[in-house]
Amino acid sequence: MASEASSSKGEFDIYQTYRKILDDEEMSPPLAAILSLSQLMVESNAGTMFELVKELHDGAEELKRHTTNPISLNAGCELFIAFVTLFPHESDSFAELKTELVKQGQKYAKEAISYRNKIAELMLDFIKDDSVILTHSYSRVVMRALLHAHKTKRISVYVTEARPRGLGVKTHEVLTAVGIPCTVVLDSAVAYVMDKVDFVLVGSEAVVESGGLINAVGSNQMAIIAKAAHKPFYALAESYKFHRLFPLSQYDLPTHNPSILSFPSLPPRPFVTPPTTSGVSPPIAKSGIDESLNVTPTSSSERSMSAEMTAKNPDVDYTRPDLISLVFSDVGILTPEAISQYLVAMFAG
C-alpha cells in the first residue's frame, strides 16, 4: 500500500526513511522523525503552507501507524510541525521558504545530538565521589552522564534487568567494559536495593505538560519506592522529548489499549460435584489441583513468559511529577512545575 506521505516526484516512503535514520545508534526517535519530515518536504510538491502542513501531519500519522510506541516519535513530529507553522514567512518564494525550513530542520537535528553532552555536564555536580546509583533499563543520555562522571569520579551502578527486553544487561555490559562497577538487579528487587543507593537516575521517552515522566515500564515503581525511602529521583531528558500530553493515569497514555493487562478467554468451568449428604467433598489430588482439570505443571526450567503473555504488558509507564526530584535537560535543571511553563513558551512561538 502506498504511503499517504508520497509526492508526484515518486513514492516517498517516510517510514523506511525513518527506519534507515535510526540505524545510527546516536539517533533517537524524535530526531529521526524530524529528519524524516524534513526529507518529506524535499520530496513535496506542496504549493502553499496549508498544503505543506497537511502533508507533514499525514507523514506524522504514517509514522505513528507503523509504530507500537509512538510517544517519543510524536514529540519530535509535534515540535517540527510547530516550528514550520511558526517560522516567519519573509520570502516571496514558497520554494525558497521550503528549502530554508529543510535546512533548519536538518541543522536542529545535527545540533541536538550534542544535547546529551550538555545534560551530562549539568548532572556532574550532583554525582559525588563514591556515589552509588540505581538506573533502569538502557538510556543513551543516562549512559552519557555515567560515562562522563566516570572520567573524574568513582561511581558504582545498580541497573534493573528491565524485562522483557532485558536492556539492563546491555547497560551492565557497557559500564563493566569501561571499568564502572555494575550489578544487575531483578525488577522485583528495587525495594530491596533502594537503601544501598544515593539516588535514582533514569532517562525518558517523554516529559509531559504536568512535569511527569513517560519512560520504560518499571520507572514508576522505582519512583514510588525512592520517594518512600527519601532518595532523590532524577530524570534526564533532551528538550526534544518535551511533549504536550497531560496524562492523569497509566491508562491515558497513547500506548494503552484494551489488550494490555487483559484477562484471557477461558473455556467454561467444568461442573463441580457438590458435597455428598455426609458432608464429604470429592478427593483432591496430592498436588492440590483437582485432577479433573488435567493440568500438567511445567518444570522450573520452562517457567518463562510466553510472547502472548509479554504482549499483554505495557512497554512504558507514567510517573507523576510529585515523585520526581529534578529534570535535567539541555535547557537547564528544571523542577517538574517548570516543565509546563517551558512547554507553553516553546509552542507559543
Side-chain angles (χ1 to χ4, degrees):
M1 174 179 170
S3 164
E4 291 180 13
S6 300
S7 72
S8 59
K9 292 183 182 181
E11 291 197 358
F12 171 65
D13 191 328
I14 191 169
Y15 180 68
Q16 289 304 317
T17 300
Y18 171 77
R19 294 303 309 171
K20 185 175 181 180
I21 293 170
L22 282 180
D23 286 341
D24 182 348
E25 178 68 19
E26 289 297 300
M27 276 293 168
S28 60
L31 295 183
I34 289 172
L35 288 174
S36 299
L37 291 176
S38 297
Q39 188 60 34
L40 173 61
M41 287 201 298
V42 172
E43 302 290 333
S44 170
N45 283 330
T48 67
M49 180 57 70
F50 177 82
E51 291 174 349
L52 180 63
V53 171
K54 183 180 184 304
E55 286 191 8
L56 291 175
H57 279 293
D58 288 345
E61 287 301 318
E62 183 75 4
L63 289 175
K64 287 187 284 184
R65 190 172 67 84
H66 286 88
T67 310
T68 56
N69 175 17
I71 292 175
S72 62
L73 176 157
N74 199 41
C77 291
E78 182 181 71
L79 177 64
F80 186 68
I81 293 174
F83 165 75
V84 170
T85 305
L86 297 171
F87 192 78
H89 305 163
E90 298 175 353
S91 174
D92 293 332
S93 168
F94 188 69
E96 290 180 4
L97 175 61
K98 281 202 300 181
T99 300
E100 182 61 27
L101 288 170
V102 170
K103 287 181 180 178
Q104 291 296 326
Q106 293 171 342
K107 178 183 177 183
Y108 175 82
K110 184 177 180 180
E111 292 176 349
I113 292 292
S114 68
Y115 288 177
R116 295 182 195 126
N117 294 332
K118 295 180 181 179
I119 295 170
E121 191 61 37
L122 287 174
M123 188 70 222
L124 190 60
D125 290 338
F126 286 74
I127 301 177
K128 307 303 180 186
D129 213 19
D130 291 319
S131 288
V132 179
I133 303 164
L134 173 63
T135 190
H136 181 48
S137 189
Y138 179 87
S139 161
R140 281 173 288 230
V141 66
V142 169
M143 295 301 292
R144 189 68 56 88
L146 295 175
L147 294 173
H148 184 59
H150 177 59
K151 295 175 184 176
T152 56
K153 300 179 180 182
R154 295 183 297 269
I155 60 172
S156 302
V157 177
Y158 288 109
V159 59
T160 52
E161 184 183 10
R163 282 181 176 257
R165 297 175 66 191
L167 289 178
V169 176
K170 180 179 179 180
T171 296
H172 173 267
E173 291 171 350
V174 174
L175 296 183
T176 301
V178 298
I180 298 176
C182 182
T183 295
V184 179
V185 299
L186 296 171
D187 297 324
S188 53
V190 170
Y192 193 99
V193 77
M194 191 62 71
D195 285 341
K196 296 174 72 66
V197 308
D198 295 303
F199 59 87
V200 179
L201 187 64
V202 300
S204 61
E205 290 276 330
V207 178
V208 297
E209 279 191 278
S210 64
L213 174 74
I214 300 174
N215 196 39
V217 67
S219 301
N220 183 44
Q221 68 184 19
M222 292 177 74
I224 292 171
I225 295 168
K227 184 82 168 182
H230 306 290
K231 298 296 175 74
F233 183 91
Y234 298 136
L236 308 185
E238 303 92 323
S239 58
Y240 51 75
K241 292 182 179 177
F242 288 8
H243 197 359
R244 296 185 73 184
L245 281 176
F246 207 110
L248 299 177
S249 73
Q250 310 299 335
Y251 312 109
D252 293 327
L253 297 179
T255 50
H256 185 72
N257 62 70
S259 68
I260 292 179
L261 302 183
S262 62
F263 291 108
S265 298
L266 297 176
R269 294 179 62 184
F271 177 75
V272 178
T273 306
T276 62
T277 53
S278 63
V280 179
S281 299
I284 300 296
K286 292 181 180 180
S287 62
I289 300 174
D290 188 336
E291 289 180 334
S292 65
L293 297 181
N294 296 320
V295 174
T296 303
T298 58
S299 67
S300 58
S301 62
E302 296 173 339
R303 289 178 192 147
S304 60
M305 291 179 68
S306 66
E308 182 181 1
M309 292 176 179
T310 299
K312 289 181 179 290
N313 281 270
D315 293 322
V316 297
D317 60 23
Y318 169 66
T319 301
R320 303 190 316 266
D322 61 293
L323 299 174
I324 302 169
S325 305
L326 290 170
V327 177
F328 292 78
S329 177
D330 49 282
V331 296
I333 303 172
L334 305 175
T335 61
E337 293 79 9
I339 298 292
S340 180
Q341 298 173 14
Y342 181 85
L343 271 167
V344 169
M346 184 170 68
F347 286 95

